[in-house]
Amino acid sequence: VPDVGKSFISLNLAASLAAKGRRVLLVDGDRRRGRLAQKLKLKGSKIETPLETRQGFSFVQAPEVEAHDQYFQDYDIVLVDSPPILVTADAAAWLDHVDLVTLVAWSGRQTAAELIEAQRRFEQLGANVGGWVLNGVSASTVGYQPYREYGFGSSYDAYRRA
């Protein structure tokens, strides 16, 4: 599903795992419109060497990884930020290299039918769909009321806004 924060989630997950000491490779798996190099502020939005390291994790673009399959063996975790499956079949090309697919959706942007179809396409291709990340959820949308059960009520909200 396009424009739901897949790259944002991928970048932050890579940085978090690397901070915990894992050897992480983040692959920009979008051959047509990959923008991770730009988000990582790499010179000219292209990597200068086949493998760049930022924030403790390594980064590579799709064409480079396809030419050097050994990249997958040198890391504890390989994250592939792929294009949306509902827009292009390119995401399916990575399934031979991954153990688990995590789908990302943005709260309120997609229909239930789109979400079901995205998962169905991966499952038909034999992917192990591990779950979903629901991005862009507002605490007020889901009725989250911090500390109300302790009797703080609106007086607590006044401190939060200050």
Side-chain angles (χ1 to χ4, degrees), residues 32-102:
R32 300 169 202 228
R33 300 183 68 198
R35 295 190 197 119
L36 282 179
Q38 183 179 19
K39 290 179 184 193
L40 286 168
K41 297 183 169 88
L42 298 176
K43 187 176 180 180
S45 298
K46 295 287 183 190
I47 56 175
E48 295 177 16
T49 62
L51 209 54
E52 291 278 337
T53 301
R54 293 284 191 276
Q55 300 174 19
F57 62 87
S58 298
F59 168 79
V60 67
Q61 291 176 309
E64 186 62 34
V65 127
E66 292 160 349
H68 299 92
D69 219 18
Q70 83 275 2
Y71 284 142
F72 290 105
Q73 300 164 7
D74 296 337
Y75 294 89
D76 299 322
I77 297 172
V78 177
L79 300 171
V80 179
D81 182 39
S82 73
I85 189 94
L86 294 181
V87 175
T88 175
D90 291 357
W94 293 104
L95 293 179
D96 289 340
H97 301 288
V98 300
D99 297 319
L100 181 74
V101 172
T102 303

